[in-house]
Amino acid sequence: MQYQAPQTTRAAVALLAKAKGRAYVLAGGSDLLVRMKGGFIEPDLIVDIKRIKAMGEVKKTAAGYAIGAAVPCAELTENKALAKAWPGVVEAAGLIGSKQIQGRCTISGNLCNAGPAADSVPAMVAAGAKAVIQGPKGKRVVPVEQVPVGPGKTSLKKGELVEAIQLPARAARSGDAYLRFIPRTEMDIAVVSCGVNLTLDGKGVVKHARVALGAVAPTVLLVADAAKAIVGTKLDNAALDRLGKACSAACRPIDDKRGTIEFRTDVTAVLAKRAAKIAYGRAGGK
C-alpha cells in the first residue's frame, strides 16, 4: 500500500487519477481506518488531504460558507458564526461519534462514506448545500444529495474528490434543525433522522422549505411533498400532520435489528414534526 500526502488539490487529483488498484481519500479517517483495521478494505493507495491548506479552512463569503473537506467536525461546532447561521447543520456534525472522533471526522467524509444513516447529510441536504468536486476534467459543483447513490457508493468518478461543502448565505427569517432517533443516548447511528430548513415571510407564514430524511432509504431523501405540506402555513397542527404523513409515505426502510419498517415509518413522522417546530422557532415564528 502506498501513502501520499500532497499539498495541493491538483496533486491529489493527479494521484487519484493515475492510481492503479483501489485508491481512497483520507480526510479524517474515522471511517476509512476502521474499515482497514477490520479487514473490510485493502487500499492500494491512500491520499491524505489534510496537508492541503484550503481543505482545512472554513471560509465565509458573500455566497455563504465554504467548508474544506478536511475540516474536523469539532472545529465546526466551535465556529460561532457558522453555528448561528446553520445551527441544524452544525448540530448534526456534532453528533458524529465521540469527542475523540469529533477531532478527526469531517462532513465531507461523512458524505462520501455514503452511509444511509449519516448524520450530517440530511441536515446538509435540507440546507441546500452543494459539494465542490475537483477531478481530472476540472471542477464541478453539485447538490449534496447527488453524491451518494447507494450504501457505500458515490457518483464520484475516478480521480475526483470533494474539495469543499458550500452552504448558502442564510436568508432572513429562516431556520434549520436536525433530529435523530438512536437506541442509546450517544455514540450511535441514526435509526431515523430528519433535517428541516424553512424561511418565513413577514407574517410568520412558511414561504420556502426543504425536508430531508435519513436512514429510511438507501440514500437520504429530499421530500418535496413534505415541504409542500407546510409552505403557505404558520405550521399549525393540520400542516404538521400533513408533513408527518408525507414523510412517512416517502420512507423506504428495511427491517433490521435496530428497527422495523413500521417503527421507522412511524418515528419519521414524529421527528419531522419536532424538527419543523424547532426550525420554525429559529426562523422567528411563534
Side-chain angles (χ1 to χ4, degrees), residues 52-59 66-71 75:
I52 301 174
K53 184 179 179 181
M55 292 198 188
E57 299 175 340
V58 178
K59 296 181 180 179
I67 302 169
V71 176
E75 187 172 331

Side-chain angles (χ1 to χ4, degrees), residues 65-203:
Y65 284 87
I67 302 169
V71 176
C73 289
E75 187 172 331
L76 301 185
T77 59
E78 294 171 358
N79 189 313
K80 294 181 179 179
L82 180 62
K84 183 178 180 180
W86 291 103
V89 173
V90 172
E91 288 166 355
L95 291 173
I96 303 172
S98 63
K99 291 293 184 182
Q100 293 91 335
I101 295 297
Q102 285 284 308
R104 298 284 302 183
C105 66
T106 70
I107 58 174
S108 291
N110 198 222
L111 172 66
C112 293
N113 192 49
D119 277 310
S120 68
V121 182
M124 288 194 286
V125 171
K130 295 182 179 180
V132 180
I133 299 170
Q134 292 281 4
K137 296 183 179 180
K139 181 175 76 173
R140 60 189 180 100
V141 181
V142 303
V144 160
E145 58 267 29
Q146 292 182 13
V147 175
V149 295
K153 298 179 180 179
T154 73
S155 59
L156 298 179
K157 301 177 178 64
K158 182 176 174 58
E160 289 188 329
L161 77 166
V162 173
E163 180 181 47
I165 300 295
Q166 293 179 341
L167 287 170
R170 167 62 76 189
R173 295 185 62 81
S174 61
D176 73 319
Y178 172 79
L179 292 176
R180 68 176 184 179
F181 173 82
I182 57 174
R184 301 186 295 177
T185 56
E186 61 182 346
M187 290 179 65
D188 208 339
I189 60 173
V191 177
V192 180
S193 62
C194 179
V196 177
N197 178 38
L198 50 80
T199 303
L200 311 181
D201 66 13
K203 297 181 180 180

Side-chain angles (χ1 to χ4, degrees), residues 28-50:
S30 56
D31 284 308
L32 178 62
L33 296 180
V34 171
R35 292 166 67 195
M36 289 173 61
K37 289 181 179 180
F40 297 105
I41 58 172
E42 294 184 4
D44 295 293
L45 170 67
I46 291 179
V47 177
D48 187 341
I49 61 172
K50 293 191 296 299

